[in-house]
Amino acid sequence: MADRSKTIVVVGTGYVGLPAALMLARAGYDVVGVDINENIVRAINEGVMRIKEDELQSLMADPQVRTNLRAQSTPCEGDIFIIAVPTPLDERKKVADMSYVDDAVNSILPYLREGNLVIIESTIPPLTCRERVTPMIEEATGLIVGDTVFLAHCPERILPGDIFHEIVHNDRIIGGINEKTREMAAGMYETFVKGEMFLTDDITAELAKLMENTYRDVNIALANEFAAVAEGLAIDGQEAIRLANKHPRVNILSPGIGVGGHCIPIDPWFIKEIDPSNSRLIFASRLINDGMPARVAARIRRLTRDVSSPKLVIIGASYKPDVDDPRESPAIEIVHLLREDGYTLEHYDPLIEGMGYSSLAEICRGADLLVVLVPHRVVLDELERTRPEIEKEMHTSWIVVF
Ligand SMILES: NC(=O)c1ccc[n+]([C@@H]2O[C@H](COP(=O)([O-])OP(=O)(O)OC[C@H]3O[C@@H](n4cnc5c(N)ncnc54)[C@H](O)[C@@H]3O)[C@@H](O)[C@H]2O)c1
């Protein structure tokens, strides 16, 4: 049974840390959210929820949460420390940028006491707990990891847009450095997790998390490669995939314009980083998916090559349909490539603040090509409803939906 009188210090209160802090505060723990971003600290203390999800907004307003959760810009003493800071890709070296994790771990070292549990929720390369965080803790505190202080990797799987449901109902991997650590970590998560919890060691947890997004990346690369072969044959790749998927044991994903977001295009590199010789398929998949924006830009160039100074309207800037997140978006890269080529283009996305538009018909007035790079439901619906009006307004009425 978890001891809810404990203090939990959550370092990094973004998409991952804040929902966890809210859940733990509602479960009855005393929770301190720590963030180097003063605006985030202020918002939490004022009860303002920055993540646009109704249930999280309500959770932030819950009286129990308001009582149990406070935020500050530096850590303090506690019983459990959760690290949920970014682990972006070092774009030049294609390895994990561990500077945020290093800073976060360093920031808690002065407050670590015997019996504390440190949980890394950030996505990290295998061996980070053993070879990076353990020596940091032991050298600075004199505590022994696994004996007098405890360290676990409990990766997060939430999908932004559905965080409230997923943080509770997803199955969870608890990767403790030893049995006692696993039990301590599981005891905390069981206060709000309804999914199954799988207890394992830290290295297995680190690799399993990376495998999940790598699996998606490799399968998307396969679909993109199939689509390229179909294009070479001048047939409809989507149709070929649809037919192949009629096989009872085949499930090819949909090809697209590339892979975006802050997880799928990044996590596979963390596997390659630690074992390049066994990551050839992973590496090839990354190259295929990263090469998609250039392929799409080339396709748009081919489509418009007979028009002098074509005018393009491009819809979509988020990394995937129906979300408002433009991080690592292949659509933005495609627009960048076309702008570099000197194309006249207008770029909109109805889900992204500051990129909205009046109506497709109006923004397509005089255009030669309308390209929907990110097929948001709302855009497809409008296209279906008003296609004749849009085509009437266009100079050359080409409409391409990816
Ligand atoms: N967002 C997701 O859907 C998701 C899903 C699974 C895993 N992850 C992983 O979780 C980790 C966190 O991702 P996120 O989306 O929550 O990032 P985020 O950018 O939304 O939030 C991270 C927060 O950490 C703060 N921060 C940075 N350094 C700090 C420090 N030294 N001390 C205190 N605060 C600090 C930042 O100001 C920011 O508010 C990453 O490793 C990510 O890969 C994210």
Side-chain angles (χ1 to χ4, degrees):
M1 195 65 188
D3 174 2
R4 300 188 193 203
S5 65
K6 284 184 169 157
T7 296
I8 302 181
V9 181
V10 181
V11 184
T13 46
Y15 280 94
V16 167
L18 181 55
L22 293 173
M23 290 293 170
L24 292 162
R26 192 177 62 171
Y29 287 106
D30 170 44
V31 181
V32 183
V34 178
D35 207 290
I36 50 171
N37 182 331
E38 289 288 351
N39 293 331
I40 291 181
V41 170
R42 196 172 320 113
I44 295 172
N45 287 332
E46 288 171 359
V48 177
M49 169 49 73
R50 294 157 61 95
I51 304 171
K52 291 183 206 136
E53 258 186 53
D54 292 345
E55 296 94 336
L56 291 179
Q57 308 266 359
S58 313
L59 194 53
M60 183 65 117
D62 183 300
Q64 168 100 331
V65 171
R66 303 292 334 126
T67 308
N68 292 347
L69 173 66
R70 66 184 185 283
Q72 53 194 53
S73 53
T74 48
C76 56
E77 284 193 12
D79 300 287
I80 301 175
F81 293 81
I82 298 177
I83 309 270
V85 295
T87 41
L89 187 68
D90 176 328
E91 283 295 342
R92 201 173 50 82
K93 298 188 195 143
K94 299 289 187 198
V95 297
D97 171 356
M98 297 299 288
S99 59
Y100 297 90
V101 171
D102 289 349
D103 287 352
V105 172
N106 277 321
S107 76
I108 63 166
L109 293 177
Y111 306 101
L112 275 187
R113 301 286 174 258
E114 189 167 339
N116 284 173
L117 168 65
V118 178
I119 299 174
I120 314 266
E121 283 203 1
S122 300
T123 305
I124 45 178
L127 299 173
T128 296
C129 284
R130 301 272 166 123
E131 295 187 354
R132 194 174 194 110
V133 181
T134 295
M136 286 170 82
I137 293 175
E138 292 186 342
E139 278 161 33
T141 64
L143 298 166
I144 306 295
V145 170
D147 184 11
T148 51
V149 71
F150 302 91
L151 176 63
H153 176 51
C154 303
E156 187 47 82
R157 290 173 163 163
I158 45 157
L159 181 70
D162 197 21
I163 294 175
F164 181 79
H165 180 262
E166 293 216 339
I167 199 170
V168 173
H169 295 281
N170 283 353
D171 291 341
R172 198 173 256 276
I173 302 174
I174 309 290
I177 211 131
N178 59 17
E179 192 62 41
K180 180 161 182 201
T181 312
R182 296 192 262 281
E183 278 164 18
M184 287 170 83
M188 183 199 78
Y189 284 107
E190 74 184 12
T191 61
F192 70 88
V193 171
K194 296 205 172 98
E196 219 175 313
M197 286 196 280
F198 295 93
L199 276 52
T200 184
D201 64 84
D202 50 314
I203 306 174
T204 307
E206 289 166 336
L207 183 60
K209 165 67 194 176
L210 298 177
M211 282 174 164
E212 296 164 13
N213 285 331
T214 303
Y215 170 86
R216 304 269 305 154
D217 197 47
V218 169
N219 279 285
I220 294 167
L222 181 64
N224 284 335
E225 200 153 64
F226 283 152
V229 172
E231 196 185 332
L233 293 168
I235 60 165
D236 180 349
Q238 303 266 14
E239 172 66 355
I241 288 174
R242 195 181 67 80
L243 294 175
N245 281 343
K246 296 291 175 196
H247 184 290
R249 286 169 298 283
V250 171
N251 185 15
I252 303 165
L253 300 182
S254 299
I257 61 166
V259 175
H262 45 280
C263 291
I264 300 182
I266 292 172
D267 297 359
W269 291 111
F270 296 6
I271 298 185
K272 176 170 180 290
E273 164 183 351
I274 54 128
D275 193 351
S277 61
N278 286 312
S279 303
R280 286 170 300 162
L281 176 62
I282 295 169
F283 181 48
S285 302
R286 274 286 68 242
L287 296 185
I288 291 167
N289 289 336
D290 274 356
M292 287 309 294
R295 285 190 72 96
V296 172
R299 195 169 149 203
I300 293 171
R301 271 183 227 115
R302 280 199 302 279
L303 274 171
T304 53
R305 81 184 141 206
D306 296 330
V307 183
S308 77
S309 309
K311 191 180 161 220
L312 274 50
V313 173
I314 298 202
I315 307 288
S318 63
Y319 78 87
K320 67 174 182 179
D322 303 322
V323 300
D324 63 359
D325 186 348
R327 286 184 286 179
E328 313 283 330
S329 164
I332 291 179
E333 198 181 329
I334 293 163
V335 167
H336 174 72
L337 290 171
L338 293 170
R339 283 207 166 112
E340 267 186 352
D341 284 347
Y343 275 91
T344 307
L345 64 84
E346 286 174 24
H347 187 200
Y348 301 95
D349 190 315
L351 298 195
I352 292 190
E353 225 173 287
M355 293 190 76
Y357 57 81
S358 44
S359 72
L360 284 176
E362 196 172 318
I363 58 174
C364 286
R365 191 163 298 146
D368 295 291
L369 178 64
L370 167 63
V371 186
V372 179
L373 286 178
V374 186
H376 296 307
R377 193 65 258 160
V378 53
V379 173
L380 295 183
D381 287 349
E382 185 181 353
L383 190 57
E384 200 180 306
R385 256 191 351 263
T386 63
R387 195 174 184 114
E389 290 158 50
I390 298 167
E391 287 178 344
K392 210 166 84 201
E393 293 292 346
M394 291 179 76
H395 180 248
T396 318
S397 47
W398 280 324
I399 300 179
V400 183
V401 179
F402 281 89

